[in-house]
Amino acid sequence: MKKFVLMTAGPTQVRENVRLARSIVTTNPDEDISFCEYYKELCDKLSHFFHTKNPFYILSGEGILGLEAACASLTEKGDRVLVLDNGIFGKGFADFVTLYGGEAVLYTVDDKMPISVEDLEAYLKKDSNFKYATVVHCDTPSGMLNDVERICALLKKHHILTVVDSVSASFGVPLDVDKGRIDILCGGSQKALSAPIGLTFLGVSDAAIKAMKQRKTKIASFYGNILSYADYYEKKWFPYTMPISDVYGFGQALENVLEEKDIFARHEKIAKATRKAVESAGLEQYIHSGYSNTVTAIVVPEGISDKALLKKMREEYGVMISGCFDVLAGKVVRIGHMGENANVPDMLTTLHAFQNVLEEMGFSLKCDMANVFLKEME
Ligand SMILES: *Cc1c(COP(=O)(O)O)cnc(C)c1O
């Protein structure tokens, strides 16, 4: 298979030591108590990293499983759920809510701006009768970053539980779970953590566990039942056999993150330089504020086909960036500068290829993006 410079908005590049960790000799994770201890240590490191005492659970299944598990575990028939929507993933939560019998009440706002805490506060004064609310930290298709700490703290003031999708923000953007009083934090292995695809992790509050235990009806999912994880450590028992090699890879990727002095500063610097290069060249970003430091979504210039652009990037320059989907299909292309992707040499290769392809396709740029990027990095 051809090897590309992988610069997509997830999955991201995986470091060699992570790939090697997946080849370590395995034990039986059901029988060998040392695996349970290892798993617990990883979960504790996640709690520490996200500034919370809430326990974390690592589930087999990629990011989407985490979102679905949160909704499956909390939602009972007829529950009103507030779905904060300023992006594709934001709106997408409504599907999980309704799938489990809930009533999704959409709070839809401008998808080019972060959710305004003040406007939400005014809305909640009129209607706050919700069991829980969902919100996306970084809505990856547009690269929109929402201030989930403030949003969730506000929701909690109104006694609403909160579910946060931080799949594409976690490890690239700081997050303090306790400050935001976030009840369920959802993350994935394949974005800024830069582990292979296949695992999701959930940080779950006591209040969320209590709400699950107080349900009148059973959780209508087996894989998505968070309660079945809640006492794994006491019982030394997992609801199903853990994918041990995936977990080893995850553990090494987490080690890499923890060894780095300031992973957030790296993301911020690269993201700012990327935005500067793109804007200086006369390209337009899709959103107007609230830029996430993990991904930049660029409007495809008039008359240019995104598919042709992405194909040229891949085939002529060996660089893979992301297109988009749903309402943004064909409208934006995205550079995923998250996790291992967020490094200067690969960003230079990407911007150089992007520049050449756009010019070959007849769009002339106002500057050399790679040069502007480099200058910003000084
Ligand atoms: C990537 C991502 C997910 C997980 O979806 P995938 O199918 O793994 O791509 C969930 N939420 C957000 C915001 C994501 O970026």
Side-chain angles (χ1 to χ4, degrees):
M1 225 184 290
K2 187 170 157 47
K3 206 169 151 254
F4 295 101
V5 179
L6 191 62
M7 294 298 280
T8 49
T12 54
Q13 300 175 23
V14 178
R15 203 188 292 185
E16 188 181 30
N17 67 358
V18 174
R19 287 183 270 122
L20 289 173
R22 287 166 56 83
S23 65
I24 292 171
V25 175
T26 50
T27 180
N28 182 328
D30 291 328
E31 304 292 338
D32 192 335
I33 211 85
S34 70
F35 175 78
C36 190
E37 295 295 339
Y38 173 74
Y39 176 98
K40 171 80 161 54
E41 274 170 37
L42 290 186
C43 294
D44 289 348
K45 284 177 185 168
L46 290 172
S47 299
H48 186 255
F49 186 84
F50 291 103
H51 307 280
T52 179
K53 290 201 177 60
N54 292 352
F56 271 75
Y57 308 108
I58 302 167
L59 280 58
S60 178
E62 56 66 63
I64 292 292
L65 175 70
L67 315 186
E68 179 162 0
C71 295
S73 300
L74 286 176
T75 316
E76 283 192 90
K77 201 166 184 313
D79 282 341
R80 289 183 87 228
V81 179
L82 184 63
V83 175
L84 302 187
D85 159 31
N86 66 335
I88 294 168
F89 278 98
K91 186 174 188 172
F93 261 116
D95 293 340
F96 294 126
V97 170
T98 49
L99 198 57
Y100 291 94
E103 183 199 338
V105 177
L106 278 166
Y107 176 83
T108 300
V109 290
D110 188 355
D111 72 345
K112 290 187 163 75
M113 306 280 276
I115 292 165
S116 153
V117 180
E118 291 67 33
D119 291 354
L120 180 61
E121 188 158 26
Y123 175 89
L124 290 171
K125 277 189 183 136
K126 283 181 259 153
D127 186 5
S128 64
N129 178 28
F130 301 103
K131 181 175 190 179
Y132 70 98
T134 62
V135 60
V136 180
H137 194 189
C138 167
D139 212 305
T140 332
S142 63
M144 171 64 72
L145 190 76
N146 286 310
D147 187 347
V148 292
E149 284 173 18
R150 283 186 64 214
I151 291 167
C152 293
L154 169 67
L155 289 159
K156 286 294 275 191
K157 261 197 349 211
H158 291 266
H159 312 288
I160 301 165
L161 294 167
T162 57
V163 172
V164 172
D165 171 358
S166 185
V167 174
S168 69
S170 47
F171 300 103
V173 179
L175 181 60
D176 189 319
V177 164
D178 280 357
K179 205 165 146 198
R181 300 174 67 201
I182 295 166
D183 288 298
I184 304 187
L185 175 72
C186 312
S189 55
Q190 81 274 27
K191 302 280 167 81
L193 180 61
S194 283
I197 307 148
L199 297 175
T200 184
F201 55 89
L202 296 167
V204 186
S205 74
D206 288 345
I209 293 289
K210 195 170 150 204
M212 293 172 206
K213 287 188 172 160
Q214 286 176 342
R215 291 173 59 114
K216 293 186 204 80
T217 54
K218 274 186 160 178
I219 293 172
S221 170
F222 183 82
Y223 267 95
N225 184 342
I226 295 174
L227 272 187
S228 64
Y229 274 85
D231 51 6
Y232 81 89
Y233 189 67
E234 288 70 34
K235 292 190 176 157
K236 304 284 181 284
W237 182 85
F238 293 102
Y240 44 84
T241 307
M242 286 287 108
I244 183 167
S245 297
D246 290 351
V247 176
Y248 284 163
F250 187 100
Q252 183 58 56
L254 187 56
E255 214 49 53
N256 292 345
V257 165
L258 298 177
E259 274 170 15
E260 188 168 343
K261 221 166 70 215
D262 196 346
I263 194 167
F264 302 128
R266 169 164 62 90
H267 279 85
E268 185 178 357
K269 206 160 177 211
I270 295 241
K272 277 189 172 159
T274 305
R275 295 194 286 263
K276 175 86 182 179
V278 163
E279 294 275 333
S280 307
L283 291 164
E284 196 192 324
Q285 292 187 79
Y286 181 72
I287 58 177
H288 297 158
S289 71
Y291 310 103
S292 172
N293 288 333
T294 51
V295 55
T296 297
I298 302 152
V299 176
V300 179
E302 256 327 282
I304 286 181
S305 138
D306 66 317
K307 286 208 171 63
L309 185 155
L310 296 172
K311 185 165 187 267
K312 272 169 111 48
M313 292 276 291
R314 285 195 306 271
E315 290 180 2
E316 293 171 28
Y317 295 89
V319 177
M320 192 180 279
I321 61 170
S322 295
C324 215
F325 52 93
D326 201 273
V327 292
L328 293 183
K331 291 188 180 155
V332 305
V333 291
R334 298 172 294 155
I335 301 175
H337 35 72
M338 59 176 85
E340 297 283 329
N341 298 10
N343 71 81
V344 173
D346 288 340
M347 274 307 306
L348 289 176
T349 305
T350 303
L351 291 173
H352 176 74
F354 194 35
Q355 176 115 16
N356 285 359
V357 167
L358 281 170
E359 282 174 354
E360 283 165 31
M361 295 177 89
F363 185 81
S364 62
L365 297 160
K366 289 186 193 150
C367 68
D368 183 293
M369 288 193 284
N371 271 344
V372 173
F373 177 88
L374 253 190
K375 244 178 113 194
E376 284 296 307
M377 290 301 297
E378 276 169 12

